[in-house]
Amino acid sequence: MRHAVWRRRGALLGGILALVGLLLASPGGLIPGNEVAAQGGSMTPRAYLPLIAHNFPCLVHPEEEEIARYMIEHPDQQRSSLTCHPILAQVARERAEDMARRRYFGHVNPDGYGPNYLVRQAGYVLPTYYDTEPDANNIESIAAGYPTAEAAWDAWMNSEGHRTHLLGLHPFFAEQIEYGVGYAYDPTSPYVYYWVVITAKPGP
């Protein structure tokens, strides 16, 4: 499996069996560069913006439920509570599907938008101090190429950056008590399996 890290306004870095860490941000705290992927591929031009959720179900796939269970039940989880939010779940799922459909892997989509922007566009209110740049990420971990939820979770747990984000091991992340999980399977795509977890602190 290949893992890569996204750096703001930078390129996707990666290598075989490499796991990602966290990026340090100045006043906003820690920013996860949390990605886990398989092979490369070409992109099909297609615009992507999440739709505003209206009674959108939270966890649709069994794989999403499994990731949520791992996150909630982990003995090192530092969050006081975790609640699935339908908008975060919708964006996470659409992020996974978009990566599969447009054959890329990264926190920034081919249109130049990162997760902070996408959840705001979908109607979720992030705290005002979260980064507002179009490509910003304070909230997302991603993985690709892992055929099961257990394999994706184990990879994240073996990465300091992912582990810190998903288990709330830093106060910045511990305040992110709402989450969404996305999963997509596309056997024609470069990585076949795509996983996304978004955690957020409700604003403002």
Side-chain angles (χ1 to χ4, degrees):
M1 299 297 170
R2 188 180 132 217
H3 302 72
V5 63
W6 170 77
R7 296 183 184 276
R8 198 167 151 215
R9 301 200 182 284
L12 190 68
L13 306 176
I16 302 301
L17 297 175
L19 288 166
V20 251
L22 280 176
L23 300 178
L24 295 173
S26 43
L30 295 170
I31 300 179
N34 293 348
E35 315 169 358
V36 196
Q39 315 119 335
S42 60
M43 295 182 291
T44 302
R46 203 164 185 176
Y48 166 80
L49 280 177
L51 302 174
I52 295 177
H54 295 287
N55 299 317
F56 198 85
C58 228
L59 300 172
V60 172
H61 302 294
E63 293 84 357
E64 295 169 355
E65 294 178 356
E66 192 172 354
I67 291 291
R69 188 172 65 252
Y70 287 139
M71 186 164 62
I72 292 167
E73 296 179 358
H74 197 285
D76 295 332
Q77 180 60 251
Q78 297 300 300
R79 296 175 173 93
S80 57
S81 65
L82 273 165
T83 303
C84 187
H85 192 285
I87 293 179
L88 299 181
Q90 180 185 10
V91 175
R93 192 170 304 114
E94 289 182 358
R95 288 273 298 124
E97 292 169 354
D98 187 56
M99 284 190 281
R101 184 174 61 248
R102 293 204 278 176
R103 290 163 163 71
Y104 72 96
F105 177 72
H107 291 295
V108 183
N109 71 17
D111 308 309
Y113 298 123
N116 286 21
Y117 176 88
L118 295 172
V119 300
R120 284 180 169 127
Q121 287 298 109
Y124 188 91
V125 180
L126 290 174
T128 55
Y129 57 86
Y130 275 36
D131 200 330
T132 57
E133 290 295 317
D135 60 357
N137 173 33
N138 296 115
I139 58 177
E140 180 185 78
S141 285
I142 61 177
Y146 294 90
T148 66
E150 182 178 16
W153 182 259
D154 287 347
W156 281 331
M157 290 301 98
N158 285 315
S159 161
E160 182 181 355
H162 296 93
R163 187 179 175 87
T164 300
H165 171 226
L166 295 171
L167 299 182
L169 301 181
H170 184 279
F172 180 82
F173 297 119
E175 293 182 334
Q176 296 179 341
I177 59 172
E178 294 185 332
Y179 74 93
V181 180
Y183 167 75
Y185 168 74
D186 181 351
T188 69
S189 68
Y191 308 128
V192 183
Y193 308 93
Y194 299 81
W195 309 86
V196 177
V197 176
I198 293 175
T199 62
K201 176 184 178 181

